Amino acid sequence: HFSAIGELGGLAAMIQVEGGRHFIAEHPQGSDLCSLPVWKKSRRMPGIVQVLVHQCMTGLIGPKSGLPIKKPTEFWASNKLLIAHIQNRLCDGQHQHSQLDAREAGAPSDKAKDAAILSLRLCYGLAKGCEDVLRRDKPSATRAYNANVAALPLLTPTNVKRPHKRVTFNDSPTI
């Protein structure tokens, strides 16, 4: 049930903050999640920040239409560094969007399940925010990480192609 999962997520976020740890929560703009008491309380906690992202500005493209998918999404985080790299991502109005609800006959559309992913650029921005918090809070822990990845090419949205196959848990090898 949605409210039970939402309550659990809100409780986990509060426990993280109260324990000096962090969280990032993602939900569609206008979601009922914001109306749950635990999330209302979380929103009022010191340091909680939020940002609205239009995912068309992060590279979310419909596989059928080939057009950007707007998908307005809110991110809440326990620290501004966590969402610093996904700021200022509101649609500039310079492109046509794929419709997920196919409300206009003949307009380019995609299925809603095709928008149930985050673009690589958005994932990279979130990962970079996590890295920034780790570097600030745990400098000794990141030294070993830096040594291990120094020889790897930088994984950025500009040099990585989107995979043609969607990988799911069912694709994982059995252990």
Side-chain angles (χ1 to χ4, degrees):
H1 189 263
F2 168 77
S3 65
I5 293 171
E7 291 283 342
L8 180 61
L11 180 61
M14 289 179 64
I15 290 170
Q16 287 295 98
V17 172
E18 290 168 355
R21 295 176 300 271
H22 297 284
F23 78 89
I24 300 173
E26 172 264 344
H27 57 273
Q29 181 183 24
S31 165
D32 290 339
L33 189 72
C34 302
S35 65
L36 295 175
V38 68
W39 281 106
K40 286 181 180 180
K41 186 175 179 182
S42 294
R43 178 184 258 172
R44 293 188 304 269
M45 294 179 81
I48 303 304
V49 292
Q50 60 189 80
V51 64
L52 175 63
V53 173
H54 291 161
Q55 291 196 44
C56 58
M57 300 305 289
T58 70
L60 183 60
I61 303 293
K64 181 179 167 196
S65 69
L67 293 174
I69 298 175
K70 190 171 183 181
K71 193 180 176 188
T73 306
E74 290 183 25
F75 289 86
W76 292 15
S78 55
N79 186 286
K80 65 183 178 182
L81 288 175
L82 291 168
I83 56 173
H85 298 280
I86 61 170
Q87 298 285 336
N88 305 314
R89 302 280 188 237
L90 297 180
C91 184
D92 60 10
Q94 300 297 309
H95 52 261
Q96 181 182 5
H97 294 115
S98 175
Q99 294 183 19
L100 297 180
D101 57 7
R103 65 181 170 268
E104 290 180 38
S109 64
D110 287 278
K111 294 185 183 295
K113 71 176 185 173
D114 294 326
I117 60 172
L118 300 178
S119 69
L120 185 58
R121 188 177 303 145
L122 182 54
C123 291
Y124 179 79
L126 292 168
K128 183 73 174 116
C130 293
E131 178 185 17
D132 292 347
V133 168
L134 284 172
R135 286 185 189 281
R136 185 201 64 199
D137 294 350
K138 310 264 189 222
S140 62
T142 58
R143 273 189 229 117
Y145 169 79
N146 289 339
N148 290 331
V149 295
L152 297 176
L154 183 62
L155 178 65
T156 64
T158 56
N159 68 1
V160 175
K161 298 216 185 296
R162 185 175 176 180
H164 295 289
K165 180 178 185 255
R166 183 180 290 205
V167 178
T168 66
F169 289 111
N170 293 335
D171 296 327
S172 301
T174 52
I175 297 175

